[in-house]
Amino acid sequence: AVVSTQSTGKLVKAGNEAPTDVETAVSQALLDLEANSDLSSALRGLYFVGAEEVVIRDDKVAVVIHIPFPQQKIYHKIQGRLVRELEKKLSGKHVIFLSKRRILSKPTRHSRNLSKQKRPRSRTLTAVHASILDDLVYPAEIAGQRKRVKLDGSQQIKVHLEKSSQINTETKLDTFMSVYKKLTGKDVVFEYVD
């Protein structure tokens, strides 16, 4: 099976999908940074596979950039500086990098693709949602989590972040909550612990 990809600058999309306005703006900003900044050598060879805007409040919008999973470690090395530079270029919008992950459905007796291999743990819904949460708060570390089930059956996840990362992430907590809710449908609350 041949998968055709469409490449525009720093954006590589599968199929013949046209890039959105947000993806075009992010691609142009990354190209500008690669052309003239101290990140140019680090950005060479890196690309992203999609971008979308998430509305936090009426006056605040975040840009979620989806990167290929194999390039995640390289992005993590430069993420602090890259986020600062992109936020300047994208007029103060919060920028979040998330790895593109795939969720495979639970195999049943009647499922169509009776694959010979067992579904990897990293492709389960729970594992992907946990990984999204890790990517979301990076470079902060998650110290612990609590899941609270209310009487009406709704669930709320309390995530404890390390106190040392409070300076960098405190202003983005509402962004993290909104993006996680949009991507997974789960409510999350962040707190700092010593």
Side-chain angles (χ1 to χ4, degrees):
V2 177
V3 177
S4 65
T5 56
Q6 185 179 6
S7 176
T8 349
K10 289 293 198 181
L11 172 66
V12 177
K13 290 184 89 165
N16 293 327
E17 297 177 49
T20 62
D21 295 340
V22 179
E23 291 169 341
T24 308
V26 171
S27 180
Q28 189 58 49
L30 284 171
L31 282 172
D32 292 346
L33 286 174
E34 186 179 347
N36 47 15
S37 78
D38 57 338
L39 292 169
S40 60
S41 61
L43 282 172
R44 197 162 290 119
L46 293 181
Y47 59 92
F48 68 102
V49 292
E52 59 183 313
E53 282 187 340
V54 176
V55 177
I56 295 10
R57 292 187 305 268
D58 296 335
D59 60 333
K60 198 72 179 154
V61 176
V63 177
V64 179
I65 302 171
H66 297 283
I67 57 174
F69 181 74
Q71 292 186 354
Q72 181 187 26
K73 284 194 170 115
I74 303 167
Y75 269 104
H76 278 333
K77 287 179 185 173
I78 59 169
Q79 188 163 336
R81 288 184 298 161
L82 187 58
V83 165
R84 280 193 300 276
E85 294 294 328
L86 281 175
E87 284 176 352
K88 286 180 202 168
K89 291 218 178 264
L90 298 173
S91 63
K93 296 175 183 173
H94 285 166
V95 174
I96 295 170
F97 286 96
L98 293 178
S99 296
K100 192 74 172 170
R101 291 184 168 84
R102 175 167 287 140
I103 299 172
L104 296 178
S105 61
K106 192 172 184 177
T108 61
R109 283 189 290 171
H110 305 294
S111 55
R112 290 177 182 235
N113 56 346
L114 292 169
S115 150
K116 303 283 184 234
Q117 291 183 328
K118 192 172 185 289
R119 173 176 69 154
R121 179 93 180 101
S122 63
R123 305 289 192 286
T124 62
L125 180 98
T126 310
V128 169
H129 285 188
S131 301
I132 287 173
L133 196 56
D134 285 338
D135 285 355
L136 201 59
V137 299
Y138 188 85
E141 292 286 323
I142 295 176
Q145 290 185 44
R146 304 281 179 274
K147 187 181 281 190
R148 182 176 177 200
V149 182
K150 298 178 183 169
L151 286 171
D152 62 350
S154 62
Q155 296 181 354
Q156 184 181 51
I157 303 168
K158 279 189 177 181
V159 177
H160 303 292
L161 300 175
E162 288 184 354
K163 193 89 169 162
S164 59
S165 60
Q166 185 170 359
I167 301 160
N168 298 332
T169 57
E170 197 167 27
T171 57
K172 293 186 175 185
L173 292 184
D174 54 344
T175 304
F176 295 160
M177 290 177 0
S178 300
V179 170
Y180 193 72
K181 174 78 174 172
K182 176 156 190 312
L183 293 175
T184 65
K186 295 179 180 176
D187 290 315
V188 67
V189 173
F190 294 94
E191 296 174 349
Y192 293 100
V193 293
D194 293 330

